[in-house]
Amino acid sequence: VRFLENTRFYPKVEETILQIKNVKLGVLSNKPDVFTKALIENSSLKNCFDFVYGTDVLGSLKPDPVLIKKCRGNAQKILFVGDSLVDLETAKNAKISSCIVTYGLGNLVEIKKLKPDFLIDDFSEILKIIENL
C-alpha cells in the first residue's frame, strides 16, 4: 500500500491522457502485474486504458517485442511512449514508432544515440503526435 502513497504521474500525464479520445491506450510495465494494476486502479486514469499488463501476465520483460504482439494493434498505428532506454528498445524491437520523454529513468545521451521517432520535453506534446499518426 505504501507504493500507492509514494507514486505520482509525471507532469501533464493525467490531464493529457484524459484528453485522448478514440485511441486504444494501454500500459506495459516491467513491474509485477499486481502493482501495475493497483497503481492504475487507484488513479484518476483507471477508466482510460484498454489493457494494463505487468511482467507476470506477459511472461517476459521489455524490451521483448512479443509484448506488442499481445496487444494486437496495427503496428503502423502504435506509438510506444516511455521514459527509458528499455522502452525505446522495446519499440525498436517491435518495429513500431517510439516516443520518449526527456525526463525520467532514461539516460538521455544513450536514448538520443538510438534516435527515437519522437523525443518530447512536455507530455502534452503526445496529443499532436497522435493526431498525425
Side-chain angles (χ1 to χ4, degrees), residues 18-33:
L18 290 168
Q19 290 180 58
I20 297 172
K21 305 293 181 219
N22 302 315
V23 173
K24 187 175 182 178
L25 298 175
V27 175
L28 295 176
S29 178
N30 278 352
K31 291 177 182 62
D33 193 61

Side-chain angles (χ1 to χ4, degrees), residues 37-125:
K37 285 189 167 120
L39 287 168
I40 298 301
E41 280 299 313
N42 288 282
S43 78
S44 63
L45 303 179
K46 67 181 174 184
N47 297 316
C48 296
F49 298 104
D50 296 282
F51 58 87
V52 177
Y53 296 139
T55 58
D56 33 347
V57 168
L58 295 170
S60 62
L61 296 170
K62 297 182 287 183
D64 189 339
V66 74
L67 303 174
I68 304 304
K69 292 175 186 164
K70 290 188 179 200
C71 299
R72 295 185 184 96
N74 177 343
Q76 294 176 321
K77 298 243 179 188
I78 294 175
L79 178 65
F80 197 93
V81 180
D83 70 343
S84 70
L85 191 57
V86 170
D87 292 325
L88 178 53
E89 290 170 340
T90 303
K92 290 203 173 282
N93 290 345
K95 297 177 178 47
I96 59 173
S97 296
S98 59
C99 178
I100 305 297
V101 298
T102 57
Y103 48 87
L105 301 176
N107 177 326
L108 198 51
V109 172
E110 293 301 313
I111 286 170
K112 284 181 177 180
K113 284 181 189 176
L114 285 182
K115 299 180 180 164
D117 297 299
F118 303 96
L119 189 63
I120 60 173
D121 297 314
D122 182 317
F123 196 81
S124 66
E125 293 176 61

